[in-house]
Amino acid sequence: MKKKTNFKLHFPSHLSFLLLISFFIGFCSCEQKQHSISSHGGLTEQEVLYIKQRQLLYYRDEFGDRGEKVTVDPSLVFENPRLRNAYIALQAWKQAILSDPSNYTGDWVGSEVCNYTGVFCAPAPDNKKIRTVAGIDLNHGDIAGYLPEELGLLTDLALFHINTNRFCGTVPHKFINLKILFELDLSNNRFAGKFPEVILRLPKLKFLDLRFNEFEGTVPKELFDKDLDAIFINHNRFRFNIPDNFGNSPVSVIVLANNNFHGCVPSSLGNMTGLEEIILMHNGLRSCLPEEIGLLKNLTVFDVSFNELLGPLPDSIGGMVSLEQLNVAHNRLSGNIPASICQLPNLQNFTFAYNYFTGEPPVCLGLQDFDDRRNCLPDRPLQRNAVQCKSFLSKPVDCGSFRLIGVSYASPPPPPFY
Ligand SMILES: *[C@@H]1O[C@H](CO)[C@@H](O)[C@H](O)[C@H]1NC(C)=O
Ligand SMILES: *[C@@H]1O[C@H](CO)[C@@H](O)[C@H](O)[C@H]1NC(C)=O
Ligand SMILES: *[C@@H]1O[C@H](CO)[C@@H](O)[C@H](O)[C@H]1NC(C)=O
Ligand SMILES: *[C@@H]1O[C@H](CO)[C@@H](O)[C@H](O)[C@H]1NC(C)=O
Ligand SMILES: *[C@@H]1O[C@H](CO)[C@@H](O)[C@H](O)[C@H]1NC(C)=O
């Protein structure tokens, strides 16, 4: 297992939630509410109208509110107007919940929204005299449903954590109103469709976790110009070429694993000097590793395994002084392993199996944990056979030719290597 990441996040002082991250994946479909239709074959006009309205409610575009209208009982007394708005948002959400096996929302009744399970209030940032909803945490609720547009009424929300549920649909457009949202964790749900662009317009967002969903299409390149501290978008269906502005991202952790990313490992990576963990495994990256990665002095985890990387490991990796875990396995790398890598003071685990390396300095054999299987290393056990090695190594690798591929979204994929 990988070392646990220490997020250097600056939580708003009044909040102290634990970040619960889980890889549990549930099973359910995004069911819709059933309603009774008369059994005598044909539909009455009323029924047709009802169905049409239902469909409108569900499928009106993302600017509309999909929930049923919330009416506020005039006898309810609220501490302040913001909590009244929160009531509307949370009641709309409750109506958009189709299954709540642990009854988290069972107590979402009445005007005391700060007492609702999973809802956390704090003094408003702009008016300490009033309370307002600052956080939502329904992690591990196994709840099925969708997010209604009314959630945009929670304008003082700093944290929104709903990981490990069965929410589906898209991210409401009205999230644009969450101007101080700091952490957004939608991981391990059933969200689908394009990258939720509204996220790019949340000025205070630092922590973005969309992993384990069904998002698809490209990832907007603006994501990497945003002042985020952590980006987790692994295990989705995103597909794009890693853009050149990738290196503009000030993140300390970025995980893009298990998508369908193509193109190069960009040399701009060298600009991400605050980076501590980067995991690009299981994508379709095809390039040499840029020299510039040696500039990442704070990086502890570098995982580019299961891609189509070529060429040698740059000597400069020997300058990544914080490196603890290095995984370049299952690529098409070749050449000699630089001794400087195996001499890195903090290196614990160096995995480079399933490549075509031809030289391994003795110092590497002294590492705590390493995996050098299935290479072309003389005198090492469990290597590829001579025919395979000869055939692969007879083809020259021109690292220069890959530099340009990542630049253009439109360029066709390069011809297969073999
Ligand atoms: C859900 O919780 C509410 C309020 O706590 C309670 O009244 C209700 O009986 C619970 N429902 C179930 C199915 O447990
Ligand atoms: C809400 O919580 C507060 C503080 O714990 C308590 O005083 C109050 O009675 C609760 N209100 C309701 C309706 O449960
Ligand atoms: C790194 O950032 C500098 C300054 O923004 C820029 O000039 C340079 O091109 C970047 N390096 C790479 C490799 O993108
Ligand atoms: C790298 O880590 C050191 C020690 O934790 C820290 O002082 C420094 O600010 C970090 N560098 C960057 C660019 O974040
Ligand atoms: C070393 O890393 C590899 C690849 O990530 C992993 O499979 C292996 O379990 C790790 N070894 C240890 C001792 O953590």
Side-chain angles (χ1 to χ4, degrees):
M1 266 311 287
K2 295 235 151 49
K3 199 184 134 244
K4 245 188 138 179
T5 305
N6 279 320
F7 297 109
K8 302 247 172 66
L9 287 176
H10 309 285
F11 286 83
S13 55
H14 53 280
L15 295 167
S16 58
F17 301 149
L18 275 182
L19 252 178
L20 295 173
I21 289 164
S22 161
F23 296 90
F24 175 78
I25 299 176
F27 296 93
C28 158
S29 60
C30 185
E31 333 144 44
Q32 293 191 354
K33 274 183 195 160
Q34 296 294 312
H35 54 84
S36 53
I37 294 172
S38 60
S39 54
H40 54 79
L43 300 176
T44 67
E45 235 169 79
Q46 240 183 346
E47 285 165 341
V48 170
L49 190 65
Y50 177 78
I51 290 169
K52 266 193 183 154
Q53 278 168 349
R54 289 295 304 185
Q55 284 174 341
L56 269 181
L57 285 170
Y58 274 109
Y59 299 119
R60 211 185 295 166
D61 76 24
E62 54 264 91
F63 296 96
D65 37 6
R66 289 164 295 185
E68 289 153 70
K69 280 275 165 274
V70 172
T71 49
V72 183
D73 179 344
S75 71
L76 289 177
V77 179
F78 293 94
E79 263 175 60
N80 63 61
R82 296 192 205 185
L83 289 181
R84 186 179 190 277
N85 276 344
Y87 173 84
I88 295 171
L90 295 167
Q91 291 306 320
W93 198 6
K94 192 174 174 178
Q95 287 176 19
I97 284 172
L98 312 172
S99 162
D100 178 6
S102 306
N103 202 17
Y104 276 32
T105 58
D107 64 1
W108 287 20
V109 177
S111 61
E112 302 256 13
V113 296
C114 296
N115 288 17
Y116 289 9
T117 298
V119 176
F120 298 86
C121 290
D126 57 334
N127 179 358
K128 302 286 179 212
K129 293 198 183 104
I130 62 168
R131 282 201 303 170
T132 179
V133 174
I136 300 275
D137 188 339
L138 293 179
N139 283 349
H140 298 268
D142 196 24
I143 296 169
Y146 63 89
L147 306 182
E149 291 291 340
E150 281 87 344
L151 288 175
L153 291 167
L154 299 171
T155 51
D156 297 307
L157 207 58
L159 286 89
F160 189 73
H161 290 182
I162 55 166
N163 90 47
T164 315
N165 282 287
R166 294 174 286 152
F167 287 107
C168 60
T170 56
V171 180
H173 222 81
K174 293 269 167 62
F175 264 42
I176 189 80
N177 297 329
L178 309 186
K179 294 294 183 211
I180 59 167
L181 190 65
F182 182 82
E183 292 193 8
L184 178 61
D185 181 358
L186 305 180
S187 63
N188 203 10
N189 276 286
R190 314 263 163 91
F191 292 105
K194 288 191 203 149
F195 184 93
E197 303 250 351
V198 65
I199 285 168
L200 301 173
R201 297 197 277 153
L202 301 175
K204 297 284 193 222
L205 194 69
K206 287 284 180 195
F207 178 93
L208 174 64
D209 192 347
L210 302 181
R211 71 186 126 164
F212 293 97
N213 276 289
E214 306 263 335
F215 289 113
E216 63 186 44
T218 66
V219 172
K221 101 194 257 236
E222 293 76 15
L223 182 65
F224 306 111
D225 289 323
K226 244 186 108 49
D227 184 19
L228 292 168
D229 191 48
I231 297 177
F232 296 92
I233 57 174
N234 50 298
H235 293 83
N236 277 283
R237 299 161 180 241
F238 290 124
R239 185 184 179 92
F240 79 135
N241 277 1
I242 290 193
D244 268 6
N245 71 332
F246 187 77
N248 292 351
S249 181
V251 286
S252 59
V253 181
I254 185 162
V255 184
L256 305 185
N258 295 79
N259 279 287
N260 199 346
F261 295 125
H262 289 89
C264 300
V265 177
S267 57
S268 66
L269 208 64
N271 272 354
M272 301 171 79
T273 47
L275 197 60
E276 292 169 15
E277 282 196 26
I278 182 165
I279 300 181
L280 299 171
M281 68 190 290
H282 279 288
N283 279 293
L285 299 175
R286 182 196 297 253
S287 71
C288 296
L289 283 170
E291 285 287 332
E292 288 83 348
I293 60 175
L295 298 169
L296 304 176
K297 307 284 182 211
N298 281 12
L299 197 66
T300 57
V301 177
F302 186 64
D303 188 337
V304 288
S305 60
F306 295 92
N307 279 285
E308 296 166 34
L309 300 175
L310 297 159
L313 284 181
D315 268 327
S316 62
I317 294 179
M320 297 163 82
V321 290
S322 305
L323 207 54
E324 296 170 8
Q325 310 273 332
L326 175 58
N327 189 349
V328 299
H330 293 270
N331 279 290
R332 298 168 193 173
L333 299 163
S334 54
N336 293 321
I337 307 272
S340 60
I341 295 179
C342 297
Q343 285 160 347
L344 281 167
N346 298 303
L347 193 62
Q348 293 159 8
N349 188 348
F350 181 19
T351 304
F352 52 96
Y354 293 88
N355 280 289
Y356 294 88
F357 290 112
T358 49
E360 180 178 25
V363 60
C364 295
L365 304 178
L367 282 170
Q368 243 179 67
D369 196 21
F370 69 98
D371 185 353
D372 64 359
R373 287 170 301 145
R374 297 280 174 260
N375 278 286
C376 303
L377 299 167
D379 310 322
R380 289 291 301 157
L382 301 169
Q383 297 299 300
R384 295 181 187 275
N385 68 44
V387 177
Q388 242 185 341
C389 287
K390 187 155 182 262
S391 149
F392 181 89
L393 296 168
S394 66
K395 298 180 184 85
V397 175
D398 176 8
C399 286
S401 71
F402 292 97
R403 291 237 153 189
L404 294 173
I405 294 166
V407 174
S408 162
Y409 280 77
S411 65
F417 188 76
Y418 293 112

